[in-house]
Amino acid sequence: MKVYKEDLQWAASQGLISSQQVDAVWDALSERNSDRPQFNFANVAFYFGALIVISAMTWFMVLAWESFGGSGIFLLASIYAFCFVIMGRRLWFDQNLKVPGGLSFTIAVCMTPLAIYGLQRWTGFWIQADPGTYRDYYHWIKGSWFFMEVGTIIAALIALKFVRFPFLTAPIAFSLYFISMDLTPLLFGKTDFSWKQQLLVSMWFGIACLIVAYLIDIRTRRRDGDFAFWLYLFGLIPFWFSLSFMGDSNEFQKFIYCLINLGLMVLSVLLRRKVFIVFGAIGVFGYFGYLASTVFNNAVLFPVVLTILGIFVIYLGILYQRNSQAIERFFEGLLPEQLRQILPRD
């Protein structure tokens, strides 16, 4: 729930607080929340600038990096990372500029896969065959990228130990997503794995990532920063896409797929995570589209039934918006006390 100054002024008009307290409370809340990410011009500039630097230092500069050779790539990437750590330390600890300081540490972490790539190119050590240039890291599924991804996760975890900046979980989640794909050739061999095996590994890895995100979610307070969002997102991506592309001609399995997506929508309410309802709604809508185009292609009443169902869903949304807290309390009341205790709280 967001609070605006107009809300405090309304509270004063209702006699809940005095008019003199409005400015004092607002100034105190503004100072308390000054370090939290907010959607304003300054933070947009910070994040946009950081993404430009990350892109320039990693993806857009790959051809230039290759000209330095393995040793040059390793040394330059390490120097860049060290410089951004120094800049982040100065901004975060000395000047109390949490957002630009945390982004500086994130940039340093994002240099890790490039540094490890340079080291492996320099030494010639690959867990499998030579995977090609660094640009291929973002395009091709290969087991030889594994150490680059694990190294990035370790670097981000070390940074999080000293700097509690939620965006540092983004490179962790991104690397976990890449691992979910690159792990398949390590498990099934360089060329022997099938598309179905790839989907199976990605799906289970996505489930594991979602479990880790949930464990983080129940152990952190979201008002101090959302440390689980990126893990939820990059866990849902491999899980949902793998589940969707593992489709079978079996109608019962397709129905189960619809039920799983409905379950994701229910989880979005219990976990208070909108990202679940996005993926779940797309899955359910896709199933309805399949029914309309294949199963009930010639059924005149099917579009009418779907229209009525859609209007009913909109009506449910209106009811939920008007009575969201009461509905959430009702559903939580249906759960055993042990389950209520393990639900995340805002």
Side-chain angles (χ1 to χ4, degrees), residues 36-218:
R36 299 177 190 172
Q38 303 175 44
F39 190 77
N40 54 35
F41 180 80
N43 281 336
V44 169
F46 292 150
Y47 279 89
F48 185 62
L51 291 176
I52 290 176
V53 173
I54 292 172
S55 300
M57 292 291 100
T58 57
W59 194 70
F60 290 129
M61 201 176 170
V62 288
L63 295 179
W65 282 115
E66 294 292 339
S67 64
F68 293 107
S71 59
I73 293 174
F74 171 71
L75 292 174
L76 284 174
S78 300
I79 291 172
Y80 275 121
F82 177 76
C83 290
F84 280 112
V85 167
I86 296 300
M87 185 171 76
R89 184 180 183 280
R90 180 172 179 80
L91 292 172
W92 182 280
F93 295 103
D94 297 341
Q95 300 184 20
N96 199 35
L97 295 172
K98 302 300 186 184
V99 174
L103 289 171
S104 298
F105 284 111
T106 306
I107 294 172
V109 169
C110 290
M111 300 301 297
T112 304
L114 184 62
I116 294 176
Y117 167 81
L119 181 61
Q120 291 186 282
R121 175 67 61 197
W122 184 12
T123 60
F125 175 77
W126 303 102
I127 194 171
Q128 287 187 335
D130 189 331
T133 64
Y134 184 75
R135 182 187 292 272
D136 294 337
Y137 174 58
Y138 300 96
H139 297 156
W140 297 103
I141 298 173
K142 295 182 179 180
S144 292
W145 308 126
F146 183 73
F147 285 138
M148 297 162 59
E149 295 149 356
V150 172
T152 303
I153 294 171
I154 294 174
L157 290 175
I158 293 174
L160 275 170
K161 182 175 178 59
F162 298 98
V163 179
R164 301 288 292 175
F165 187 63
F167 194 62
L168 277 168
T169 59
I172 295 177
F174 185 80
S175 297
L176 285 172
Y177 172 61
F178 270 32
I179 286 179
S180 72
M181 296 181 288
D182 294 331
L183 194 61
T184 307
L186 295 179
L187 293 177
F188 296 102
K190 184 173 61 176
T191 58
D192 297 331
F193 67 93
S194 65
W195 172 242
K196 190 170 184 178
Q197 289 171 331
Q198 172 69 65
L199 293 176
L200 191 63
V201 172
S202 294
M203 184 184 71
W204 284 109
F205 203 95
I207 292 174
C209 191
L210 290 174
I211 293 174
V212 172
Y214 165 75
L215 294 175
I216 293 174
D217 204 7
I218 62 175

Side-chain angles (χ1 to χ4, degrees), residues 284-341:
V284 173
F285 186 79
Y287 178 71
F288 285 159
Y290 160 75
L291 292 179
S293 62
T294 306
V295 180
F296 300 105
N297 187 30
N298 297 319
V300 177
L301 292 179
F302 185 70
V304 178
V305 173
L306 278 185
T307 301
I308 296 174
L309 178 62
I311 294 173
F312 180 67
V313 171
I314 293 174
Y315 175 69
L316 289 179
I318 294 173
L319 289 179
Y320 179 77
Q321 184 177 21
R322 291 175 176 174
N323 308 279
S324 58
Q325 294 184 352
I327 292 173
E328 289 177 1
R329 285 196 296 268
F330 171 77
F331 279 109
E332 288 187 7
L334 297 178
L335 299 175
E337 179 64 24
Q338 293 84 352
L339 289 180
R340 289 201 298 270
Q341 293 297 326

